[in-house]
Amino acid sequence: MNDTKYRVAIIGCGRMGQNYAEAYTTYPDTEIVAIVDANAQRRDVLGARFSVEALYGDVETLLHNIVPDIAVVVTPTKYMKDAVIACAEAGVKGISTEKPIAACLADADAMVEACEERGIVFAGGNLQRAMNEVQEAASRLHNGEFGDIKGASVHGFGGEISGGGCQHISVLRLLTDAEVEEIVAWGTPPEALTAETDEGLIINGCFRLTNGLECSVFGTSTPCRGVDVWTDECLVRWDWNPPEIFKGYDRHGNRIRLEPNYNPYPWNEFSYLTGSIRSFLAAVDGNGHPWITGADLRQALEVAIAAKLSASRNSAPVKLPLADRSLTLYPRPYRWLGGDATGKPQSIEEAKS
Protein backbone atom coordinates (compact mmCIF):
# COMPACT_ATOMS: atom_id res chain seq x y z
CA MET A 1 0.00 0.00 0.00
CA ASN A 2 1.39 3.38 -0.99
CA ASP A 3 0.68 6.89 0.27
CA THR A 4 -1.97 7.62 -2.37
CA LYS A 5 -5.51 8.12 -1.10
CA TYR A 6 -7.86 7.18 -3.90
CA ARG A 7 -11.12 9.08 -4.35
CA VAL A 8 -13.92 6.53 -4.74
CA ALA A 9 -17.45 6.84 -6.12
CA ILE A 10 -19.97 4.11 -5.29
CA ILE A 11 -22.41 3.84 -8.20
CA GLY A 12 -25.46 1.89 -7.12
CA CYS A 13 -25.73 1.74 -3.36
CA GLY A 14 -28.21 -1.02 -2.65
CA ARG A 15 -27.39 -3.93 -0.36
CA MET A 16 -24.24 -5.01 -2.20
CA GLY A 17 -23.16 -1.43 -2.85
CA GLN A 18 -23.32 -0.83 0.89
CA ASN A 19 -20.93 -3.74 1.45
CA TYR A 20 -18.47 -2.05 -0.88
CA ALA A 21 -19.02 1.27 0.86
CA GLU A 22 -18.23 -0.32 4.22
CA ALA A 23 -14.97 -1.63 2.78
CA TYR A 24 -13.88 1.55 1.07
CA THR A 25 -14.52 3.59 4.25
CA THR A 26 -12.39 1.12 6.23
CA TYR A 27 -9.18 1.19 4.21
CA PRO A 28 -6.66 3.98 4.87
CA ASP A 29 -5.83 4.48 1.18
CA THR A 30 -9.40 5.08 -0.02
CA GLU A 31 -12.02 7.75 0.60
CA ILE A 32 -15.59 7.73 -0.69
CA VAL A 33 -16.17 11.12 -2.30
CA ALA A 34 -19.53 10.43 -3.97
CA ILE A 35 -22.53 8.12 -3.90
CA VAL A 36 -24.81 7.58 -6.89
CA ASP A 37 -28.20 5.96 -6.41
CA ALA A 38 -31.55 6.43 -8.14
CA ASN A 39 -33.46 6.08 -4.85
CA ALA A 40 -33.36 9.59 -3.35
CA GLN A 41 -34.41 8.57 0.16
CA ARG A 42 -31.85 5.78 0.35
CA ARG A 43 -29.21 8.05 -1.17
CA ASP A 44 -29.67 10.63 1.58
CA VAL A 45 -29.63 8.01 4.32
CA LEU A 46 -26.41 6.48 2.99
CA GLY A 47 -24.78 9.88 2.61
CA ALA A 48 -25.29 10.38 6.34
CA ARG A 49 -24.25 6.81 7.17
CA PHE A 50 -20.97 7.04 5.26
CA SER A 51 -20.33 10.77 5.79
CA VAL A 52 -20.51 11.57 2.08
CA GLU A 53 -21.91 14.93 0.96
CA ALA A 54 -21.72 14.52 -2.83
CA LEU A 55 -24.89 12.58 -3.63
CA TYR A 56 -26.19 12.11 -7.18
CA GLY A 57 -29.11 10.44 -8.87
CA ASP A 58 -27.26 9.37 -12.01
CA VAL A 59 -23.78 8.81 -13.40
CA GLU A 60 -23.90 11.72 -15.82
CA THR A 61 -24.41 14.23 -13.01
CA LEU A 62 -21.62 12.61 -10.99
CA LEU A 63 -19.10 12.86 -13.82
CA HIS A 64 -20.12 16.44 -14.60
CA ASN A 65 -19.14 17.39 -11.04
CA ILE A 66 -16.52 14.83 -10.00
CA VAL A 67 -14.28 12.43 -11.90
CA PRO A 68 -13.21 9.98 -9.18
CA ASP A 69 -10.06 7.88 -9.24
CA ILE A 70 -12.08 4.72 -8.64
CA ALA A 71 -15.62 3.96 -9.81
CA VAL A 72 -17.33 1.03 -8.10
CA VAL A 73 -20.31 0.04 -10.26
CA VAL A 74 -22.78 -2.01 -8.24
CA THR A 75 -25.96 -1.24 -10.13
CA PRO A 76 -28.38 -3.92 -11.31
CA THR A 77 -26.90 -5.67 -14.34
CA LYS A 78 -29.13 -3.81 -16.83
CA TYR A 79 -27.39 -0.52 -16.06
CA MET A 80 -23.76 -1.64 -15.75
CA LYS A 81 -22.69 -1.12 -19.37
CA ASP A 82 -23.69 2.54 -19.55
CA ALA A 83 -22.12 3.31 -16.18
CA VAL A 84 -18.83 1.53 -16.95
CA ILE A 85 -18.41 3.12 -20.39
CA ALA A 86 -19.33 6.60 -19.13
CA CYS A 87 -16.68 6.32 -16.38
CA ALA A 88 -14.11 5.01 -18.86
CA GLU A 89 -14.75 7.88 -21.26
CA ALA A 90 -14.47 10.37 -18.38
CA GLY A 91 -10.96 9.17 -17.49
CA VAL A 92 -11.53 7.22 -14.27
CA LYS A 93 -8.34 5.31 -13.38
CA GLY A 94 -9.96 2.10 -12.19
CA ILE A 95 -13.46 0.65 -12.56
CA SER A 96 -14.93 -2.40 -10.88
CA THR A 97 -18.28 -4.03 -11.46
CA GLU A 98 -20.37 -6.90 -10.17
CA LYS A 99 -21.75 -10.18 -11.45
CA PRO A 100 -23.23 -10.98 -13.85
CA ILE A 101 -21.51 -8.33 -15.94
CA ALA A 102 -24.21 -8.27 -18.67
CA ALA A 103 -26.93 -10.28 -20.35
CA CYS A 104 -25.61 -9.76 -23.89
CA LEU A 105 -22.08 -10.76 -24.86
CA ALA A 106 -21.68 -7.66 -27.03
CA ASP A 107 -22.34 -5.45 -24.00
CA ALA A 108 -19.66 -7.26 -22.01
CA ASP A 109 -17.28 -6.87 -24.96
CA ALA A 110 -18.00 -3.14 -25.10
CA MET A 111 -17.11 -2.66 -21.44
CA VAL A 112 -13.90 -4.66 -21.64
CA GLU A 113 -12.80 -2.91 -24.82
CA ALA A 114 -13.64 0.59 -23.54
CA CYS A 115 -11.32 0.04 -20.58
CA GLU A 116 -8.57 -1.72 -22.55
CA GLU A 117 -8.41 1.05 -25.15
CA ARG A 118 -7.83 3.65 -22.42
CA GLY A 119 -5.50 1.65 -20.20
CA ILE A 120 -8.06 1.59 -17.40
CA VAL A 121 -7.91 -1.18 -14.80
CA PHE A 122 -11.23 -3.03 -15.08
CA ALA A 123 -11.93 -5.34 -12.16
CA GLY A 124 -14.62 -7.83 -11.29
CA GLY A 125 -16.42 -8.13 -8.00
CA ASN A 126 -17.46 -10.39 -5.17
CA LEU A 127 -16.27 -13.80 -6.42
CA GLN A 128 -14.50 -16.54 -4.48
CA ARG A 129 -11.77 -16.51 -7.12
CA ALA A 130 -10.51 -13.50 -5.13
CA MET A 131 -10.13 -15.49 -1.92
CA ASN A 132 -6.43 -15.41 -1.10
CA GLU A 133 -6.42 -19.16 -0.40
CA VAL A 134 -7.92 -19.86 -3.84
CA GLN A 135 -5.24 -17.70 -5.42
CA GLU A 136 -2.50 -19.49 -3.48
CA ALA A 137 -3.86 -22.96 -4.30
CA ALA A 138 -3.83 -21.98 -7.98
CA SER A 139 -0.24 -20.77 -7.77
CA ARG A 140 0.85 -24.01 -6.14
CA LEU A 141 -0.92 -26.01 -8.84
CA HIS A 142 0.68 -23.94 -11.59
CA ASN A 143 4.21 -24.21 -10.19
CA GLY A 144 3.98 -28.01 -10.16
CA GLU A 145 3.95 -28.55 -6.40
CA PHE A 146 1.22 -31.18 -6.75
CA GLY A 147 2.32 -32.63 -10.11
CA ASP A 148 0.77 -32.25 -13.54
CA ILE A 149 -2.96 -31.58 -13.69
CA LYS A 150 -4.80 -34.64 -14.99
CA GLY A 151 -8.45 -33.75 -14.63
CA ALA A 152 -11.14 -31.40 -13.34
CA SER A 153 -14.84 -31.42 -12.55
CA VAL A 154 -17.53 -28.86 -11.71
CA HIS A 155 -20.28 -29.64 -9.20
CA GLY A 156 -23.57 -27.85 -8.53
CA PHE A 157 -23.67 -25.96 -11.84
CA GLY A 158 -27.30 -25.02 -11.75
CA GLY A 159 -30.06 -22.87 -10.38
CA GLU A 160 -28.54 -19.75 -11.93
CA ILE A 161 -25.56 -20.31 -14.20
CA SER A 162 -24.88 -16.65 -15.06
CA GLY A 163 -24.96 -15.10 -11.59
CA GLY A 164 -24.07 -18.10 -9.42
CA GLY A 165 -22.31 -20.34 -11.91
CA CYS A 166 -19.82 -17.61 -12.68
CA GLN A 167 -18.24 -18.53 -9.34
CA HIS A 168 -17.55 -22.04 -10.63
CA ILE A 169 -16.29 -20.94 -14.04
CA SER A 170 -13.96 -18.32 -12.59
CA VAL A 171 -12.42 -20.75 -10.12
CA LEU A 172 -12.14 -23.51 -12.74
CA ARG A 173 -10.30 -21.22 -15.18
CA LEU A 174 -7.95 -20.06 -12.44
CA LEU A 175 -7.09 -23.48 -10.99
CA THR A 176 -6.55 -25.12 -14.38
CA ASP A 177 -4.92 -22.07 -15.97
CA ALA A 178 -7.02 -22.75 -19.07
CA GLU A 179 -10.05 -21.53 -20.99
CA VAL A 180 -13.18 -23.44 -21.96
CA GLU A 181 -13.01 -24.09 -25.72
CA GLU A 182 -15.95 -26.47 -26.30
CA ILE A 183 -19.11 -27.39 -24.43
CA VAL A 184 -21.48 -30.32 -24.70
CA ALA A 185 -24.38 -29.99 -22.27
CA TRP A 186 -27.88 -31.05 -21.43
CA GLY A 187 -30.23 -29.26 -19.09
CA THR A 188 -33.40 -29.51 -17.02
CA PRO A 189 -36.19 -28.67 -16.51
CA PRO A 190 -37.33 -28.33 -20.15
CA GLU A 191 -39.10 -25.01 -19.55
CA ALA A 192 -35.85 -23.46 -18.28
CA LEU A 193 -34.19 -24.18 -21.63
CA THR A 194 -36.69 -21.99 -23.47
CA ALA A 195 -36.86 -19.18 -20.91
CA GLU A 196 -35.00 -15.89 -21.38
CA THR A 197 -33.42 -16.16 -17.94
CA ASP A 198 -31.34 -18.94 -16.43
CA GLU A 199 -33.42 -19.11 -13.28
CA GLY A 200 -33.82 -22.72 -12.16
CA LEU A 201 -31.67 -24.11 -14.97
CA ILE A 202 -29.63 -27.23 -14.13
CA ILE A 203 -26.73 -27.98 -16.49
CA ASN A 204 -24.85 -31.27 -16.84
CA GLY A 205 -22.22 -31.92 -19.47
CA CYS A 206 -18.58 -31.65 -20.40
CA PHE A 207 -16.25 -28.69 -20.87
CA ARG A 208 -13.19 -29.21 -23.05
CA LEU A 209 -10.37 -26.93 -21.92
CA THR A 210 -7.58 -25.38 -23.96
CA ASN A 211 -4.98 -27.47 -22.09
CA GLY A 212 -6.66 -30.67 -23.30
CA LEU A 213 -8.55 -31.51 -20.12
CA GLU A 214 -12.07 -32.90 -20.29
CA CYS A 215 -14.00 -31.40 -17.38
CA SER A 216 -17.18 -33.17 -16.29
CA VAL A 217 -19.97 -30.80 -15.22
CA PHE A 218 -22.64 -31.87 -12.73
CA GLY A 219 -25.68 -29.71 -12.16
CA THR A 220 -27.50 -32.38 -10.21
CA SER A 221 -26.51 -33.16 -6.64
CA THR A 222 -23.11 -34.68 -5.85
CA PRO A 223 -21.21 -34.91 -2.54
CA CYS A 224 -19.64 -31.50 -3.24
CA ARG A 225 -20.76 -28.33 -5.02
CA GLY A 226 -17.66 -26.56 -6.26
CA VAL A 227 -14.62 -27.41 -8.41
CA ASP A 228 -12.23 -30.37 -8.16
CA VAL A 229 -8.82 -30.38 -9.86
CA TRP A 230 -6.53 -33.38 -9.53
CA THR A 231 -3.10 -34.66 -10.38
CA ASP A 232 -1.64 -38.17 -10.07
CA GLU A 233 -0.82 -37.39 -6.44
CA CYS A 234 -3.27 -34.80 -5.14
CA LEU A 235 -6.81 -33.45 -5.24
CA VAL A 236 -7.48 -29.74 -4.81
CA ARG A 237 -11.12 -29.11 -3.92
CA TRP A 238 -12.81 -25.71 -3.81
CA ASP A 239 -16.22 -26.10 -2.19
CA TRP A 240 -17.16 -22.48 -1.34
CA ASN A 241 -14.43 -22.32 1.29
CA PRO A 242 -10.62 -22.19 1.25
CA PRO A 243 -9.58 -25.09 -1.00
CA GLU A 244 -8.92 -28.43 0.66
CA ILE A 245 -5.89 -30.43 -0.44
CA PHE A 246 -5.79 -34.23 -0.32
CA LYS A 247 -2.86 -36.55 -0.95
CA GLY A 248 -2.90 -40.35 -0.88
CA TYR A 249 -5.45 -42.70 0.67
CA ASP A 250 -5.98 -44.28 4.06
CA ARG A 251 -6.50 -48.04 4.57
CA HIS A 252 -10.24 -47.60 3.90
CA GLY A 253 -9.62 -46.01 0.53
CA ASN A 254 -10.56 -42.50 1.65
CA ARG A 255 -8.47 -39.54 0.59
CA ILE A 256 -6.16 -38.12 3.24
CA ARG A 257 -6.66 -34.42 3.84
CA LEU A 258 -3.48 -32.38 4.21
CA GLU A 259 -3.07 -29.19 6.20
CA PRO A 260 -2.74 -26.63 3.38
CA ASN A 261 -0.68 -24.13 5.45
CA TYR A 262 -1.83 -21.14 3.45
CA ASN A 263 0.15 -17.97 3.93
CA PRO A 264 -1.59 -15.32 6.06
CA TYR A 265 -3.20 -12.47 4.16
CA PRO A 266 -2.98 -8.99 5.70
CA TRP A 267 -6.54 -8.04 4.74
CA ASN A 268 -9.49 -10.14 5.91
CA GLU A 269 -12.28 -7.80 6.97
CA PHE A 270 -14.80 -8.56 4.24
CA SER A 271 -14.29 -12.21 3.30
CA TYR A 272 -13.37 -12.70 -0.37
CA LEU A 273 -14.58 -9.19 -1.27
CA THR A 274 -11.37 -8.13 0.48
CA GLY A 275 -9.09 -9.86 -2.03
CA SER A 276 -11.12 -8.44 -4.89
CA ILE A 277 -10.75 -4.86 -3.66
CA ARG A 278 -7.15 -5.04 -2.45
CA SER A 279 -5.86 -6.68 -5.64
CA PHE A 280 -7.82 -4.10 -7.67
CA LEU A 281 -6.23 -1.21 -5.79
CA ALA A 282 -2.78 -2.79 -6.16
CA ALA A 283 -3.34 -3.01 -9.92
CA VAL A 284 -4.34 0.66 -10.05
CA ASP A 285 -1.06 1.33 -8.20
CA GLY A 286 0.69 -0.50 -11.05
CA ASN A 287 1.33 -3.72 -9.12
CA GLY A 288 -0.02 -6.82 -10.83
CA HIS A 289 -3.56 -7.53 -11.96
CA PRO A 290 -6.91 -7.73 -10.18
CA TRP A 291 -7.69 -11.20 -8.93
CA ILE A 292 -10.98 -10.83 -10.78
CA THR A 293 -11.19 -8.79 -13.96
CA GLY A 294 -14.03 -7.60 -16.13
CA ALA A 295 -12.71 -10.03 -18.74
CA ASP A 296 -13.13 -12.87 -16.21
CA LEU A 297 -16.77 -11.94 -15.76
CA ARG A 298 -17.21 -11.82 -19.53
CA GLN A 299 -15.72 -15.32 -19.87
CA ALA A 300 -18.10 -16.64 -17.22
CA LEU A 301 -21.06 -15.16 -19.08
CA GLU A 302 -19.86 -16.64 -22.37
CA VAL A 303 -19.54 -20.13 -20.87
CA ALA A 304 -23.01 -19.86 -19.35
CA ILE A 305 -24.52 -18.78 -22.67
CA ALA A 306 -22.72 -21.58 -24.53
CA ALA A 307 -23.83 -24.18 -21.98
CA LYS A 308 -27.49 -23.24 -22.32
CA LEU A 309 -27.12 -23.08 -26.11
CA SER A 310 -25.71 -26.60 -26.28
CA ALA A 311 -28.39 -27.94 -23.96
CA SER A 312 -31.16 -26.30 -25.98
CA ARG A 313 -29.77 -27.89 -29.18
CA ASN A 314 -29.95 -31.48 -27.94
CA SER A 315 -26.37 -31.45 -26.62
CA ALA A 316 -24.80 -30.23 -29.85
CA PRO A 317 -21.14 -29.22 -29.31
CA VAL A 318 -20.66 -25.46 -29.04
CA LYS A 319 -17.20 -23.98 -29.63
CA LEU A 320 -15.85 -20.91 -27.85
CA PRO A 321 -15.29 -18.07 -28.35
CA LEU A 322 -18.82 -17.66 -29.63
CA ALA A 323 -19.00 -16.05 -33.07
CA ASP A 324 -22.41 -14.50 -32.43
CA ARG A 325 -21.80 -11.77 -29.86
CA SER A 326 -25.48 -10.81 -29.84
CA LEU A 327 -26.32 -13.93 -27.83
CA THR A 328 -27.90 -13.22 -24.47
CA LEU A 329 -28.71 -14.88 -21.16
CA TYR A 330 -30.66 -12.85 -18.64
CA PRO A 331 -30.19 -13.35 -14.89
CA ARG A 332 -33.17 -13.49 -12.55
CA PRO A 333 -35.12 -10.20 -12.38
CA TYR A 334 -33.67 -9.20 -9.00
CA ARG A 335 -30.14 -9.22 -10.43
CA TRP A 336 -31.20 -7.65 -13.73
CA LEU A 337 -33.42 -4.83 -12.42
CA GLY A 338 -32.70 -4.60 -8.71
CA GLY A 339 -34.85 -4.89 -5.63
CA ASP A 340 -36.63 -1.56 -6.03
CA ALA A 341 -38.04 -2.63 -9.40
CA THR A 342 -38.89 -6.23 -8.49
CA GLY A 343 -40.79 -5.81 -5.25
CA LYS A 344 -37.86 -6.53 -2.96
CA PRO A 345 -36.74 -3.06 -1.88
CA GLN A 346 -34.41 -2.52 1.02
CA SER A 347 -36.07 -0.78 3.92
CA ILE A 348 -34.71 2.58 4.96
CA GLU A 349 -34.13 1.23 8.47
CA GLU A 350 -31.93 -1.50 7.00
CA ALA A 351 -30.03 1.04 4.88
CA LYS A 352 -29.31 3.10 7.97
CA SER A 353 -27.39 0.24 9.54
Side-chain angles (χ1 to χ4, degrees):
M1 187 172 63
N2 63 23
D3 295 331
T4 302
K5 197 172 186 75
Y6 289 112
R7 299 172 305 122
V8 178
I10 307 293
I11 301 172
C13 215
R15 293 178 177 90
M16 181 56 72
Q18 290 159 40
N19 291 340
Y20 279 90
E22 289 278 5
Y24 279 104
T25 54
T26 297
Y27 297 126
D29 53 347
T30 58
E31 174 188 11
I32 299 178
V33 297
I35 288 174
V36 178
D37 197 272
N39 185 313
Q41 189 177 11
R42 182 170 60 226
R43 188 169 67 236
D44 290 341
V45 164
L46 296 175
R49 174 178 166 185
F50 295 110
S51 301
V52 178
E53 295 182 359
L55 307 174
Y56 304 103
D58 56 73
V59 175
E60 292 73 18
T61 308
L62 161 73
L63 297 173
H64 179 76
N65 290 276
I66 300 172
V67 177
D69 302 311
I70 303 291
V72 182
V73 179
V74 204
T75 65
T77 297
K78 180 177 179 179
Y79 309 106
M80 286 179 182
K81 175 190 171 186
D82 289 345
V84 168
I85 291 178
C87 289
E89 291 175 344
V92 174
K93 295 177 182 177
I95 302 170
S96 73
T97 193
E98 258 300 323
K99 57 178 170 59
I101 190 174
C104 177
L105 269 179
D107 289 344
D109 289 339
M111 286 182 264
V112 171
E113 290 164 7
C115 293
E116 284 181 348
E117 289 168 359
R118 295 166 175 83
I120 296 166
V121 176
F122 186 25
N126 192 35
L127 273 74
Q128 289 214 355
R129 177 185 170 115
M131 186 186 295
N132 62 289
E133 293 93 346
V134 173
Q135 289 285 320
E136 183 175 335
S139 294
R140 293 164 69 178
L141 272 166
H142 301 168
N143 68 23
E145 178 179 333
F146 306 128
D148 295 335
I149 297 175
K150 299 296 184 180
S153 56
V154 170
H155 303 260
F157 194 60
E160 190 185 35
I161 61 174
S162 66
C166 62
Q167 297 273 15
H168 297 76
I169 300 309
S170 298
V171 171
L172 173 71
R173 292 174 54 246
L174 176 66
L175 293 182
T176 60
D177 194 24
E179 299 292 345
V180 179
E181 66 176 6
E182 186 177 78
I183 293 176
V184 175
W186 59 97
T188 57
E191 59 269 22
L193 290 173
T194 57
E196 278 195 331
T197 74
D198 64 351
E199 199 166 9
L201 177 61
I202 305 298
I203 289 290
N204 297 280
C206 180
F207 296 164
R208 177 176 295 144
L209 307 185
T210 51
N211 60 4
L213 293 181
E214 299 278 350
C215 173
S216 297
V217 179
F218 303 95
T220 49
S221 179
T222 70
C224 56
R225 48 187 187 138
V227 173
D228 283 356
V229 176
W230 58 88
T231 68
D232 284 334
E233 300 178 356
C234 295
L235 168 69
V236 177
R237 169 168 288 167
W238 166 73
D239 195 8
W240 297 85
N241 283 298
E244 295 180 295
I245 299 173
F246 300 86
K247 184 175 183 179
Y249 298 86
D250 63 19
R251 60 189 181 88
H252 302 291
N254 299 315
R255 289 186 181 272
I256 299 172
R257 184 181 181 278
L258 302 181
E259 177 55 53
N261 294 315
Y262 291 121
N263 292 314
Y265 189 61
W267 311 95
N268 58 15
E269 297 84 358
F270 303 98
S271 188
Y272 46 92
L273 180 60
T274 301
S276 175
I277 292 174
R278 294 313 312 176
S279 64
F280 171 41
L281 293 173
V284 175
D285 285 341
N287 300 316
H289 302 280
W291 286 351
I292 308 163
T293 67
D296 290 325
L297 295 184
R298 176 180 62 179
Q299 293 304 103
L301 174 65
E302 186 164 3
V303 169
I305 289 174
K308 185 177 180 182
L309 188 63
S310 174
S312 66
R313 293 178 175 176
N314 294 317
S315 304
V318 174
K319 294 187 179 298
L320 288 84
L322 292 167
D324 184 356
R325 309 306 285 182
S326 69
L327 290 169
T328 61
L329 179 59
Y330 288 91
R332 58 190 167 97
Y334 180 83
R335 288 190 189 270
W336 179 243
L337 297 171
D340 290 351
T342 56
K344 299 178 181 178
Q346 181 187 38
S347 70
I348 294 304
E349 289 305 311
E350 182 186 349
K352 287 179 179 179
S353 59

